[in-house]
Amino acid sequence: MLSVTVLFFMWGFITSLNDILIPYLKGIYSLSHFEANIVQFAFFIAYFVGSLVFYLLSKKGKDTISLYGYKTTLVIGLMTASVACFVFALSAYWKMGFAVFLAALFLLGLGLTFLQIAANPFVALIGNPDTASSRLNLSQAFNSLGTTLGPAIGGYLIFSIFIDKDASSASGVIFPYLFLALLLLLLAVFIGFAKIGVQKEETTETKHQRSIFSYPYVVLGALGIFFYVGAEVSVGSNTVSYLKETMNMSEALASAYLSYYWGGAMIGRFLGSVSLSKLSRTNKLLSMLLLSLAGFLVVFTINYSLHGLSFGSVVFFVFFMLLNFLGFYLGKGIPSRLLAVFAFVNIALIAASMSLSGEVALWSLLAVGLFNSIMWSNVFTLAIEGLEHRTAEASSILIMMILGGAVLPPLQGIAADCIGIRLSFIIPMLSYVYLLFYGVKGCKIGKNKLSD
């Protein structure tokens, strides 16, 4: 669990750096909103391609998990991601152009696909099935710690330390991505020597086995992953542009505020891990209070130290943290109910950010991260519930639907070019409407077929 949690942290950090790259490369190459969001397309389309290949191989028992086990699959993913970061740094050093950056991001996405396919079901399988959502929320919380540190530290390094005065140069990303390449390589070695108990998927085939697509809740869950990832990435990718264009913020300061979006997801996932656990009610409440305080202090300290964001300028965030507590209370520790409650709140928050202005609009948009928190883990565990030895097959389909991160951000980019950045957030808002449906109804459709 410790080994895999480190991985969740690393790919969270790397993924959120894309939100910094979008405004950075947009300025260097004079890109439109749509062209800048192609960064996310190149990165997330790799998840679809990699997962599709994995799924087709898993049908014949020739995927890496079936052949070599979870640990080897994780090492392959880390090595691929390390090479991608190295290529990314070299492309900046040799000024190889925007297309090479996109190719490196595609390779990086392929590496992280291996990690996602192996790590998510691994976390679900290593303990009591009743607390699978709790464990996955805990790992996702460390993933969010990475996504929180990514914009704050990455924005500081790229925009303040390593930025080149030559407006046509992308040299600001060289040292950060070289460091990531080395760190991923060291993690591959670490995982290679770690003792991981769950090694291989059961490959025994049932002669008349029902198609995995005949279970509606799995298919609808895959769509849930599509819309969740698409919405999360769309909001993260366009928040800096939103703050620049509606509030005249600098890129460095907007990146600092963006870390509260990802920091909210981190705090919410820690709380979700406790909320869905088997702790007593008193211990749950105490643990949630302490974790929310610790999470806020981490985000606040980083941004105060690097960007000078005082408590007075972020006090609105505390109010939304209290609203997040209320959401967990209404969810009653039931994954489907909690998903529905949080999706409903996000619909309201985005509507507020589109129709209002000033700090209320700013923090309404950033607070979406708090309520994104449990969505991935809850949709994922609801969609693989009861599948037993077919978990890896379903997992590859679910990871394939990270495709949403490739499709929705460019779609929002087109909307931003046509109707403005503020109204373009209608794209993620509609995604949360679907997630509300999945939490209320979709996750239950077809589960009676499990007994067949």
Side-chain angles (χ1 to χ4, degrees), residues 263-397:
M266 173 191 69
I267 294 168
R269 283 166 179 165
F270 275 121
L271 299 187
S273 177
V274 174
S275 174
L276 298 170
S277 71
K278 297 297 182 181
L279 292 175
S280 67
R281 187 173 181 178
T282 302
N283 287 337
K284 275 187 182 182
L285 181 60
L286 181 60
S287 299
M288 290 172 75
L289 285 170
L290 291 174
L291 284 170
S292 60
L293 178 61
F296 174 78
L297 287 175
V298 168
V299 182
F300 173 75
T301 302
I302 291 169
N303 285 289
Y304 180 74
S305 301
L306 297 181
H307 302 282
L309 283 181
S310 66
F311 179 76
S313 60
V314 301
V315 69
F316 268 101
F317 190 72
V318 177
F319 166 77
F320 286 109
M321 285 176 60
L322 294 174
L323 183 62
N324 191 236
F325 259 92
L326 178 60
F328 277 110
Y329 173 78
L330 295 174
K332 303 293 184 184
I334 303 169
S336 57
R337 182 172 178 171
L338 197 56
L339 175 64
V341 170
F342 278 28
F344 178 79
V345 173
N346 272 353
I347 293 168
L349 289 174
I350 292 183
S353 70
M354 290 169 59
S355 58
L356 303 176
S357 60
E359 290 203 357
V360 175
L362 161 67
W363 288 106
S364 292
L365 185 60
L366 296 178
V368 169
L370 282 164
F371 297 91
N372 275 343
S373 55
I374 51 81
M375 288 186 179
W376 168 277
S377 51
N378 285 23
V379 172
F380 197 94
T381 51
L382 287 168
I384 65 171
E385 187 177 1
L387 294 178
E388 299 178 351
H389 63 278
R390 306 192 67 183
T391 298
E393 183 184 355
S395 175
S396 63
I397 295 169

Side-chain angles (χ1 to χ4, degrees), residues 10-59:
M10 278 306 302
W11 83 56
F13 189 97
I14 292 170
T15 301
S16 69
L17 281 181
N18 289 351
D19 298 335
I20 305 303
L21 287 176
I22 286 174
Y24 181 69
L25 297 177
K26 185 175 185 290
I28 290 173
Y29 296 106
S30 301
L31 307 173
S32 67
H33 285 295
F34 169 71
E35 290 169 332
N37 276 281
I38 292 295
V39 167
Q40 296 292 25
F41 178 83
F43 182 75
F44 284 100
I45 196 67
Y47 280 95
F48 176 76
V49 174
S51 300
L52 178 60
V53 172
F54 191 95
Y55 170 73
L56 294 174
L57 291 174
S58 71
K59 296 290 288 182

Side-chain angles (χ1 to χ4, degrees), residues 24-315:
Y24 181 69
L25 297 177
K26 185 175 185 290
I28 290 173
Y29 296 106
S30 301
L31 307 173
S32 67
H33 285 295
F34 169 71
E35 290 169 332
N37 276 281
I38 292 295
V39 167
Q40 296 292 25
F41 178 83
F43 182 75
F44 284 100
I45 196 67
Y47 280 95
F48 176 76
V49 174
S51 300
L52 178 60
V53 172
F54 191 95
Y55 170 73
L56 294 174
L57 291 174
S58 71
K59 296 290 288 182
K60 300 179 180 180
K62 294 183 178 180
D63 59 280
T64 55
I65 292 177
S66 298
L67 294 175
Y68 309 114
Y70 283 91
K71 183 164 75 171
T72 302
T73 302
L74 293 173
V75 171
I76 291 171
L78 283 166
M79 294 293 289
T80 305
S82 177
V83 170
C85 287
F86 186 68
V87 171
F88 198 94
L90 286 181
S91 66
Y93 181 75
W94 285 326
K95 300 182 180 179
M96 298 173 71
F98 186 53
V100 182
F101 280 113
L102 297 180
L105 284 169
F106 179 84
L107 183 62
L108 180 59
L110 283 179
L112 297 189
T113 300
F114 280 93
L115 300 183
Q116 290 270 22
I117 289 175
N120 283 285
F122 173 77
V123 171
L125 290 169
I126 58 175
N128 185 343
D130 293 337
T131 54
S133 284
S134 176
R135 287 192 303 279
L136 200 49
N137 268 305
L138 180 62
S139 291
Q140 288 289 333
F142 282 95
N143 176 269
S144 292
L145 177 60
T147 58
T148 302
L149 296 178
I153 296 176
Y156 179 71
L157 293 176
I158 292 172
F159 291 124
S160 301
I161 301 298
F162 296 116
I163 193 168
D164 198 305
K165 293 181 180 179
D166 179 4
S168 64
S169 171
S171 62
V173 301
I174 296 175
F175 287 105
Y177 274 85
L178 277 177
F179 175 74
L180 287 174
L182 178 61
L183 193 56
L184 287 166
L185 183 62
L186 292 174
L187 278 172
V189 174
F190 171 71
I191 292 293
F193 285 99
K195 293 181 180 180
I196 295 181
V198 182
Q199 290 298 321
K200 295 185 180 181
E201 271 296 313
E202 177 61 53
T203 58
T204 303
E205 294 186 13
T206 303
K207 188 173 181 180
H208 300 292
Q209 196 173 58
R210 185 187 294 273
S211 167
I212 197 74
F213 292 102
S214 68
Y215 299 99
Y217 76 96
V218 177
V219 177
L220 294 173
L223 285 174
I225 294 292
F226 176 92
F227 285 113
Y228 163 68
V229 175
E232 181 187 54
V233 175
S234 290
V235 175
S237 298
N238 291 283
T239 292
V240 172
S241 294
Y242 175 90
L243 297 181
K244 283 179 64 180
E245 294 183 25
T246 64
M247 301 186 70
N248 243 1
M249 277 191 194
S250 67
E251 289 174 332
L253 183 58
S255 297
Y257 275 105
L258 177 63
S259 71
Y260 275 90
Y261 170 72
W262 295 113
M266 173 191 69
I267 294 168
R269 283 166 179 165
F270 275 121
L271 299 187
S273 177
V274 174
S275 174
L276 298 170
S277 71
K278 297 297 182 181
L279 292 175
S280 67
R281 187 173 181 178
T282 302
N283 287 337
K284 275 187 182 182
L285 181 60
L286 181 60
S287 299
M288 290 172 75
L289 285 170
L290 291 174
L291 284 170
S292 60
L293 178 61
F296 174 78
L297 287 175
V298 168
V299 182
F300 173 75
T301 302
I302 291 169
N303 285 289
Y304 180 74
S305 301
L306 297 181
H307 302 282
L309 283 181
S310 66
F311 179 76
S313 60
V314 301
V315 69

Side-chain angles (χ1 to χ4, degrees), residues 210 214-215 446-452:
R210 185 187 294 273
S214 68
Y215 299 99
K447 282 197 173 168
N448 59 316
K449 292 185 179 182
L450 290 171
S451 60
D452 293 350

